Amino acid sequence: MSMSDPAHPEDATTTPPLDAVDGRTSDELLRVEDLTVSFPTDDGLVQAVRGVSYSVREREVLGIVGESGSGKSVSSMALMGLLPKSARVTGSVYFRGRDVLQLREKHQRALRGSRIAMIFQDPMTALNPVYSIGDQLAEAVLSHHTMPRKKALDRAAEMLDMVGIPQARERLRNYPHEFSGGMRQRVMIAMAVINNPDIIIADEPTTALDVTVQAQILETLIEVKDAVNAAIIMITHDLGVIAGIADRTLVMYAGKPVEVAETGPMFANPRMPYTAGLMGSIPSLEDSTNERLRPIKGTPPSLISLPIGCAFEPRCPLSTAECLETEPPLTETDKPDHVAACHHWQKLAAVDDPTAYFRTESEVGR
Amino acid sequence: MAVFILRRFIISTFTLLAASFVVYFGVSISGDPFEDLRGIQDEGDAQIQIAARRELLQLDVPVPLRWFNWLTGIFRGDFGLNIRNQDVSALLSNAAAATMQMVIVATVLAIVLGVTVGIVSALRQYSGFDYSLTFAAFLFYSLPVFWVAVMLKQYAAIEFNNWLRDPTISPTVTVVVALLAAVAWQALIGGDRQRRLVVSITSFASTAAVLVFFSTTRWFADPGFGTIVVGVMSVISAVVATYLTAGFRHRPPLQAAGATAVAGVGFYLVGGPILAEPSAWTLLGLFVLGIGAALGIGAGLGGIHRRQAMSASALTAVLVSGVIFMDQLLQAYERFFGLVRGRPISTVGSATPGFTGNFWEVGLDSISHLMLPTVALLLISFAVYTRYTRASMLEVMNQDYIRTARAKGLTERTVVMRHGFRNALIPVTTLMAFDFGAVIGGAVITEQVFGWQGMGTLFIRGLNEVDPNPVMAFFVVAGGSIVVFNMIADIAYAYLDPRIRLS
Amino acid sequence: MSTNTEGPPVTRDHEPTQVADDGMEVIARTQGQMVLRRFLRHRAAMLGLGTLLFIVVLAYTSIGYGPFGGWWDKSFLRTGTVLDGGRPTLFTEGFALGEHPFGQDNVGKDYFALVMRGTQQSLVVAFIIGIVTTLLGTLIGAAAGFFRGRTEAVLMRITDAMISVPTLIFAAIVAAVFGRTGIVFLGIALGVVTWTGLARLVRGEFMALREKEFVEAARAIGTSNWRIITKHILPNTVGVIIVTATLAIAAGILLETALSFLGLGIQPPDVSLGSLITEYQTAMVSRPWLFWWPGIFIVAIALSVNFIGDGLRDAFDPRQNRVRD
Ligand SMILES: Nc1ncnc2c1ncn2[C@@H]1O[C@H](COP(=O)(O)OP(=O)(O)O)[C@@H](O)[C@H]1O
Ligand code: SF4
Ligand SMILES: [Mg+2]
């Protein structure tokens, strides 16, 4: 092992000429191509991610939604190289033109926490209980920069202050158990941005929190992202979280993207029944008919034995024989940058309220 | 934290008090204290002796009152008399030293080896190494302690001593041992097929070479290191210490550790006269001084990596001290070998009767007596610590904060040592408290096999003769040391876990 | 409002809710079968089970037990002439037991019969220890964990007091008091000092489970404590109890062995595996087989039982085997 070559992120990211690898738009930061992840288990091969492609531009917010188990976390962990050893990963993840998955472990590590940062779902367990907050934040800085510990702690205090933790300097000495859940998630946000990353992957950052603090945390996250000029991949199972903040949204189902579009148009005109179903499941304020929340009936398919046709077919109100036989590819719909994987997207386009397909029988009969 | 530990201490003292009553009561009613006198032919003589014993053991006083008398005696440091009218305190002071030495050495070794092996086993889950260890652990806790002790006595002592008359290693043994080494190392280091092959071949060749060297030079007849080996081992110590505490990403820690190793070897070369006939205190003083110097070197050379450099060089100092200590012991071997008439591994007692010599020779003598009983005692505890640490480490490495640590971009070494290891130790401290009692129980048995006049003998003889005072003396020392050990475990726990420390 | 009139009617045979219901039922029905299947797949446990069964059958059929005779004609009590220095005849001429398969001791007793008798008695003691430990540990742990308050304080103080004394020490004293009255009492007495570990585990489980929703719900509708314990909590703790009970049997074998070594176990002329090794430990040099046979049987039994315990633990709680994300 060479000791004279400290794995500085600067070295790692500047080695290849920026954006020179291909001729794509220069503000494209991250491009995921045909990513698949599977896990061999006793019961068979779990195909957790089955071909995910997307790109993220500088400072953009990309939302990824889907029910739990749809492969959102696994696909994002694959980008970070955080999957267990048993995972089989294929495909490519280009970060500023370089394929992260092909990098040597050392260079991959240099990106982690420095250029690509991550925030996890459960702040109660994401911090090490035996080290102080200051230690854990300083460690994040020191693992990528050579500087005195005191300066790293200064940086940590500055970050805590930025995410809205009062008396930041004093609180550096506190341990995680002395913080509330919301405060811990703020610490996690501070840790994510402490090295000025280019992209932050936020995996359900508010799901484990009290409803009352969810909005505050989201707001903090967006503020901080703007402060450090980072892009965000916002993963959630809650369309409500995406609605306000994501520029574009990717909907995942059974390990695959089933619809990708700008958030506004997608919410207005979903082109895939699953998206419509998800939207039907958020109660809207304008809806005066006092209808109840309608979760989509049924459960996602087993990732070990997937159907040959559309994975959503058993739960889809629009399904036909064609859906049973062939899997719909992700294709352009009525707008070029609105892609969806459904044989019958036109049917959704033809009705005023696509979510109506998911009304229960009794409601339909009324 | 102080309140937490004090509370635990008071509770365990009272628990011990209650338990002492139960034990006293149990021993008192466990049989007939006059059994050995029943056979006496002369009726009158028997009557007199029985009366005398009745007086001695206060058999007319009700048991609870006797217990109370005993208890008040304890607080005056008086352990009473045994059934033969001997002062138990005197018996105890001889017995306790030997037994506690064995128990403490066994416990410390079990913890150090068990935790290390458990961690490695967890990090290499499902490897050949892991499977072999799992099997060994199961085997160890399925072995009756005394069966192992008898076997060790036969094979590791008697036959080993016989072999020492002509310490050559046969080619078959060399090949088998080298093969085993090759299998073990490749499993331990892991990696892809090619790397495993390289590791296997290297370790096979080097093990075989070392064994052939031992055999042809008849090394075992007069084992020793010599300056070169001490030097090489010191350098290895510096590298290992640096790897464990700081890693090689930055230079200063390695430089500090290296400087410490050089300083240690330097002392070894010039410090001969001091080391020749030291007292235990001199050695302890030297050790403390060495650690201090190492910390100084670390602070001086560390720069902005001062913390890591200081721990790397302190650990180096500990390891190098160990190497020098071993070397000095082995230098005394020749005279020791003569003193014990060529049978270095002892099978009886805790010291050679009438043995005198300098610190190193006496040290060798007690090591040669301690070794086998300690190994016999160690196996079960080692297995328990290994399994427990492995489970704990696997659990910890699955925690979210380990994922966070990786997501920060820390090296795997830092993730494992700083975030994994530290947390995995927390549950192990609770095991320490339990296991210590089991080791004391095991000591009672090993002592019998190896003919020690230790605390176990006090206990067993007292129990068989329905004589409570020696049994209680054993109980006080055993129970007292368990309480103390519990306290140490509590302090370690509080030190490791801020949730306890700060509450 | 427009519904699915535009497409062909949705086929009813894969109605979503149906799928969900079926899924739930399947899971519920096979819970026990899953445990069994995982256990049967555990290779070490199966090997252990096979070995244990073999030893049990061998020990009880060979020299018989109580009123039942066996196929081996020599008694463990009868002395005889020492043939061929008492060497084992097993496999000396092909696969045959011979006259004295495990050899003879110095007064000519058949060592096979002795070892079989020792195995029988060791097994009996170990199983009694296992049963008593399990009953006491479960009862005390359950009471402490469920009722809390004063009950818990008292029971846990007793447990702590017992844990503070090394098990072997306590066992030796109890064996000295009760052990000489026979193996059943010895087993019971030893069971009485070994329940503490299980009690703590069961208490922990109970404390966790009594706060769970389904227990709260049962209490809310006025279910009696007895029913809550037996119907709702206990079934969820069987895993812990069974595993610990198994391991207690292995520990019991070794405990009895250790006590025999100290002269506090089974009393002569009856024998246990432990008392055999103790009696013949000095024969290590002259007649090593007298030392080896009982030792091998102890290790085989303890190892088998420990493997079975490990298999059960994995079967009940596969968490550690699964790679999590
Ligand atoms: N280590 C693993 N081994 C086997 N299956 C896994 C593993 N990690 C995740 N999975 C499976 O992959 C699927 C996707 O999980 P995940 O990405 O966590 O979903 P979510 O969209 O809720 O984040 C799930 O069905 C999960 O069971
Ligand atoms: S392809 Fe068919 S089954 Fe799949 S979503 Fe579209 S309509 Fe439904
Ligand atoms: Mg997830």
Side-chain angles (χ1 to χ4, degrees):
Chain A
M1 197 179 297
S2 135
M3 272 150 285
S4 57
D5 178 21
H8 291 313
E10 292 81 10
D11 305 350
T13 46
T14 49
T15 333
L18 279 183
D19 309 326
V21 171
D22 64 7
R24 304 228 168 190
T25 51
S26 64
D27 73 343
E28 181 183 87
L29 189 60
L30 181 85
R31 182 155 45 85
V32 176
E33 275 181 9
D34 202 23
L35 180 73
T36 74
V37 182
S38 52
F39 300 96
T41 65
D42 282 351
D43 305 314
L45 194 68
V46 177
Q47 295 172 274
V49 178
R50 305 184 294 138
V52 168
S53 307
Y54 58 82
S55 66
V56 183
R57 291 175 213 123
E58 306 263 9
R59 289 184 291 282
E60 181 187 34
V61 178
L62 173 74
I64 299 185
V65 267
E67 282 166 302
S68 99
S70 54
K72 305 182 298 290
S73 298
V74 169
S75 57
S76 57
M77 305 264 232
L79 312 194
M80 293 286 283
L82 291 179
L83 289 172
K85 283 195 208 92
S86 65
R88 295 188 197 152
V89 183
T90 68
S92 331
V93 176
Y94 294 100
F95 176 76
R96 292 198 185 281
R98 280 199 306 166
D99 188 349
V100 176
L101 299 183
Q102 302 303 325
L103 287 181
R104 292 197 18 223
E105 160 63 22
K106 192 172 153 187
H107 297 293
Q108 214 181 61
R109 200 179 61 233
L111 291 180
R112 239 185 264 152
S114 154
R115 305 293 89 223
I116 311 179
M118 192 155 179
I119 300 168
F120 300 100
Q121 176 170 345
D122 189 354
M124 302 311 274
T125 55
L127 287 162
N128 193 328
V130 306
Y131 294 115
S132 68
I133 298 297
D135 271 343
Q136 297 187 54
L137 287 171
E139 187 180 41
V141 181
L142 292 173
S143 71
H144 295 285
H145 303 274
T146 304
M147 62 163 80
R149 221 180 102 76
K150 246 188 92 341
K151 279 185 74 180
L153 283 171
D154 290 343
R155 174 85 181 147
E158 192 187 316
M159 287 297 118
L160 283 191
D161 196 45
M162 182 159 110
V163 295
I165 292 182
Q167 281 139 19
R169 187 140 289 276
E170 285 75 56
R171 302 229 64 176
L172 285 179
R173 246 171 287 128
N174 286 158
Y175 286 87
H177 72 272
E178 297 169 279
F179 282 69
S180 70
M183 282 297 172
R184 289 191 214 187
Q185 198 61 306
R186 285 177 195 270
V187 173
M188 288 302 292
I189 294 175
M191 191 183 287
V193 294
I194 202 161
N195 288 320
N196 280 323
D198 296 329
I199 186 162
I200 302 168
I201 302 174
D203 188 355
E204 316 222 14
T206 57
T207 307
L209 298 177
D210 240 33
V211 209
T212 47
V213 296
Q214 284 187 358
Q216 297 169 20
I217 294 292
L218 274 184
E219 199 176 310
T220 306
L221 185 56
I222 296 302
E223 275 170 27
V224 166
K225 154 208 168 343
D226 288 336
V228 301
N229 280 325
I232 288 193
I233 298 181
M234 173 67 72
I235 296 172
T236 177
H237 63 252
D238 182 357
L239 279 181
V241 168
I242 296 280
I245 59 175
D247 301 315
R248 283 184 309 135
T249 295
L250 180 150
V251 181
M252 260 183 100
Y253 187 75
K256 277 194 168 179
V258 289
E259 183 162 6
V260 189
E262 281 180 20
T263 308
M266 181 188 286
F267 275 51
N269 306 304
R271 290 294 173 252
M272 156 78 195
Y274 178 62
T275 316
L278 282 180
M279 293 200 315
S281 69
I282 22 175
S284 80
L285 290 175
E286 304 140 36
D287 213 340
S288 53
T289 55
N290 207 6
E291 283 169 305
R292 294 183 37 224
L293 208 89
R294 292 173 303 263
I296 309 172
K297 282 192 206 163
T299 48
S302 152
L303 297 176
I304 294 173
S305 53
L306 284 148
I308 41 169
C310 175
F312 188 56
E313 189 276 337
R315 304 166 73 185
C316 183
L318 296 179
S319 86
T320 60
E322 186 188 7
C323 305
L324 263 175
E325 280 150 24
T326 49
E327 192 171 13
L330 200 60
T331 48
E332 266 177 32
T333 57
D334 35 5
K335 272 185 279 163
D337 57 354
H338 191 155
V339 292
C342 177
H343 295 304
H344 304 303
W345 63 267
Q346 287 94 343
K347 287 186 195 161
L348 288 178
V351 297
D352 298 337
D353 178 9
T355 64
Y357 281 109
F358 289 88
R359 302 275 147 88
T360 57
E361 298 289 304
S362 58
E363 285 170 318
V364 173
R366 259 186 297 163
Chain B
M1 168 180 151
V3 176
F4 163 78
I5 289 170
L6 196 69
R7 237 192 65 153
R8 299 265 309 216
F9 180 73
I10 292 173
I11 290 177
S12 34
T13 311
F14 274 99
T15 332
L16 201 62
L17 211 61
S20 83
F21 176 72
V22 177
V23 171
Y24 195 96
F25 192 80
V27 177
S28 303
I29 62 161
S30 70
D32 172 13
F34 305 115
E35 200 169 307
D36 55 322
L37 303 181
R38 303 266 186 233
I40 296 176
Q41 298 299 317
D42 182 345
E43 191 68 20
D45 189 25
Q47 283 310 319
I48 292 168
Q49 288 208 30
I50 288 180
R53 183 168 296 174
R54 186 175 293 280
E55 175 72 34
L56 175 69
L57 298 179
Q58 296 179 304
L59 292 185
D60 297 323
V61 180
V63 179
L65 207 60
R66 263 189 267 157
W67 170 74
F68 190 74
N69 286 340
W70 168 82
L71 192 65
T72 48
I74 291 300
F75 288 117
R76 284 181 275 112
D78 175 13
F79 285 85
L81 302 171
N82 74 357
I83 207 164
R84 285 190 203 76
N85 219 347
Q86 292 160 313
D87 183 12
V88 174
S89 311
L91 294 176
L92 181 68
S93 60
N94 291 332
T99 304
M100 290 320 289
Q101 195 180 9
M102 171 166 79
V103 167
I104 289 170
V105 171
T107 304
V108 170
L109 280 179
I111 294 175
V112 172
L113 295 176
V115 168
T116 313
V117 167
I119 299 278
V120 176
S121 193
L123 296 177
R124 295 260 173 280
Q125 198 189 7
Y126 303 134
S127 67
F129 178 78
D130 186 33
Y131 282 122
S132 329
L133 256 162
T134 303
F135 180 77
F138 274 98
L139 185 65
F140 288 166
Y141 46 63
S142 305
L143 288 173
V145 175
F146 71 91
W147 196 65
V148 177
V150 171
M151 269 195 327
L152 283 174
K153 192 167 152 180
Q154 179 64 28
Y155 296 107
I158 299 175
E159 310 221 337
F160 182 77
N161 285 338
N162 292 342
W163 174 76
L164 279 181
R165 285 190 215 126
D166 179 22
T168 53
I169 303 164
S170 74
T172 332
V173 174
T174 308
V175 170
V176 170
V177 172
L179 270 179
L180 287 179
V183 170
W185 279 109
Q186 62 85 19
L188 195 62
I189 291 177
D192 56 17
R193 188 168 299 175
Q194 193 192 344
R195 185 160 149 194
R196 280 165 185 270
L197 196 69
V198 172
V199 170
S200 304
I201 293 171
T202 325
S203 49
F204 179 87
S206 45
T207 311
V210 167
L211 290 180
V212 168
F213 173 79
F214 280 167
S215 180
T216 48
T217 59
R218 299 166 56 84
W219 187 83
F220 282 100
D222 182 16
F225 285 167
T227 314
I228 296 176
V229 176
V230 169
V232 170
M233 283 169 68
S234 299
V235 171
I236 295 176
S237 301
V239 174
V240 169
T242 310
Y243 177 74
L244 290 178
T245 53
F248 302 119
R249 197 156 77 96
H250 305 292
R251 272 238 182 131
L254 186 66
Q255 286 167 341
T260 306
V262 170
V265 175
F267 172 76
Y268 168 75
L269 291 177
V270 300
I274 311 178
L275 288 174
E277 303 238 341
S279 71
W281 290 110
T282 318
L283 281 183
L284 193 68
L286 280 175
F287 182 69
V288 173
L289 220 64
I291 302 286
L295 289 174
I297 293 175
L301 297 179
I304 61 168
H305 302 289
R306 187 183 301 149
R307 280 180 163 208
Q308 289 150 310
M310 282 168 75
S311 22
S313 48
L315 185 58
T316 309
V318 172
L319 296 177
V320 171
S321 307
V323 171
I324 295 176
F325 188 87
M326 290 284 291
D327 175 80
Q328 294 295 318
L329 272 179
L330 293 180
Q331 284 190 11
Y333 186 81
E334 201 173 348
R335 205 176 95 81
F336 167 74
F337 193 72
L339 287 174
V340 294
R341 277 179 241 95
R343 300 196 72 78
I345 307 292
S346 153
T347 53
V348 180
S350 53
T352 306
F355 185 93
T356 51
N358 67 18
F359 177 84
W360 303 112
E361 287 150 9
V362 174
L364 273 179
D365 186 56
S366 50
I367 289 176
S368 76
H369 283 84
L370 260 177
M371 194 155 73
L372 295 186
T374 307
V375 169
L377 200 53
L378 189 69
L379 290 184
I380 297 181
S381 296
F382 167 74
V384 176
Y385 278 107
T386 311
R387 295 305 290 167
Y388 207 82
T389 311
R390 178 182 178 274
S392 169
M393 188 71 179
L394 284 177
E395 178 94 29
V396 165
M397 293 305 285
N398 264 329
Q399 297 294 312
D400 287 354
Y401 54 77
I402 293 294
R403 190 178 58 188
T404 308
R406 293 208 171 101
K408 280 196 241 183
L410 301 181
T411 59
E412 193 60 19
R413 190 197 68 80
T414 315
V415 173
V416 169
M417 295 300 297
R418 242 177 92 79
H419 292 269
F421 180 62
R422 166 84 185 258
N423 280 284
L425 280 184
I426 294 174
V428 175
T429 55
T430 45
L431 176 66
M432 275 163 62
F434 281 102
D435 186 70
F436 191 69
V439 174
I440 289 187
V444 170
I445 291 176
T446 10
E447 271 185 20
Q448 299 300 303
V449 176
F450 287 95
W452 287 32
Q453 293 299 314
M455 292 207 315
T457 314
L458 223 54
F459 171 74
I460 287 300
R461 197 179 286 164
L463 192 56
N464 280 327
E465 293 174 342
V466 199
D467 182 7
N469 282 349
V471 175
M472 294 315 287
F474 168 86
F475 179 82
V476 169
V477 176
S481 58
I482 290 174
V483 170
V484 170
F485 206 78
N486 268 317
M487 246 176 86
I488 297 175
D490 283 343
I491 292 172
Y493 186 20
Y495 167 75
L496 289 172
D497 193 343
R499 286 163 293 192
I500 301 293
R501 198 189 322 145
L502 300 176
S503 62
Chain C
M1 200 158 277
S2 66
T3 54
N4 45 11
T5 44
E6 285 161 341
V10 180
T11 39
R12 282 293 144 215
D13 54 46
H14 49 259
E15 233 284 339
T17 45
Q18 196 74 44
V19 173
D21 282 347
D22 270 346
M24 293 299 285
E25 244 172 68
V26 167
I27 288 163
R29 208 180 318 118
T30 57
Q31 189 59 42
Q33 289 168 2
M34 288 279 283
V35 172
L36 186 65
R37 200 180 62 157
R38 281 196 292 256
F39 179 63
L40 293 177
R41 267 207 214 157
H42 197 283
R43 243 182 287 155
M46 285 302 102
L47 196 68
L49 194 61
T51 314
L52 185 66
L53 283 179
F54 174 76
I55 291 175
V56 169
V57 170
L58 183 71
Y60 287 96
T61 62
S62 58
I63 58 167
Y65 193 72
F68 306 101
W71 46 263
W72 188 247
D73 54 352
K74 301 189 181 60
S75 152
F76 68 97
L77 294 169
R78 200 172 344 105
T79 56
T81 44
V82 180
L83 306 169
D84 185 27
R87 274 188 195 78
T89 57
L90 185 68
F91 304 146
T92 42
E93 292 159 35
F95 277 96
L97 289 176
E99 190 64 22
H100 297 288
F102 288 7
Q104 284 171 293
D105 72 358
N106 51 341
V107 291
K109 285 186 192 169
D110 178 51
Y111 208 51
F112 179 70
L114 272 171
V115 170
M116 290 302 109
R117 178 63 181 181
T119 308
Q120 290 179 352
Q121 300 299 68
S122 287
L123 285 171
V124 170
V125 175
F127 275 98
I128 295 177
I129 294 177
I131 291 168
V132 175
T133 293
T134 310
L135 288 179
L136 282 177
T138 308
L139 221 63
I140 291 172
F146 189 79
F147 294 111
R148 315 292 300 268
R150 184 162 303 180
T151 319
E152 182 187 24
V154 171
L155 290 177
M156 282 299 117
R157 280 295 92 79
I158 295 175
T159 314
D160 287 345
M162 293 193 56
I163 287 178
S164 73
V165 183
T167 309
L168 184 82
I169 302 308
F170 233 132
I173 292 168
V174 176
V177 180
F178 301 102
R180 297 185 171 111
T181 37
I183 68 162
V184 176
F185 287 100
L186 179 68
I188 293 175
L190 295 186
V192 168
V193 299
T194 52
W195 51 267
T196 46
L198 178 62
R200 289 189 150 211
L201 286 174
V202 171
R203 165 171 166 266
E205 295 278 312
F206 265 66
M207 275 167 44
L209 285 167
R210 75 193 292 280
E211 309 297 338
K212 287 270 157 67
E213 291 86 5
F214 62 89
V215 175
E216 299 281 333
R219 195 172 295 135
I221 58 168
T223 315
S224 73
N225 278 343
W226 177 248
R227 210 180 145 73
I228 290 178
I229 292 177
T230 53
K231 284 274 180 278
H232 297 276
I233 303 186
L234 216 47
N236 284 298
T237 52
V238 274
V240 173
I241 295 173
I242 291 179
V243 170
T244 316
T246 316
L247 300 179
I249 291 175
I253 290 254
L254 296 177
L255 185 59
E256 190 279 324
T257 306
L259 290 177
S260 287
F261 174 74
L262 298 177
L264 294 164
I266 284 168
Q267 300 299 313
D270 209 341
V271 295
S272 73
L273 290 173
S275 73
L276 284 176
I277 309 187
T278 308
E279 193 172 342
Y280 298 109
Q281 59 168 319
T282 46
M284 183 76 189
V285 187
S286 52
R287 299 172 180 204
W289 56 91
L290 296 182
F291 173 79
W292 283 104
W293 286 118
I296 290 170
F297 271 77
I298 293 175
V299 176
I301 296 172
L303 199 56
S304 305
V305 177
N306 276 327
F307 275 140
I308 295 172
D310 192 51
L312 287 170
R313 177 171 27 218
D314 285 355
F316 279 111
D317 177 20
R319 214 174 12 180
Q320 258 200 21
N321 290 327
R322 207 172 54 206
V323 191
R324 292 199 311 170
D325 57 334

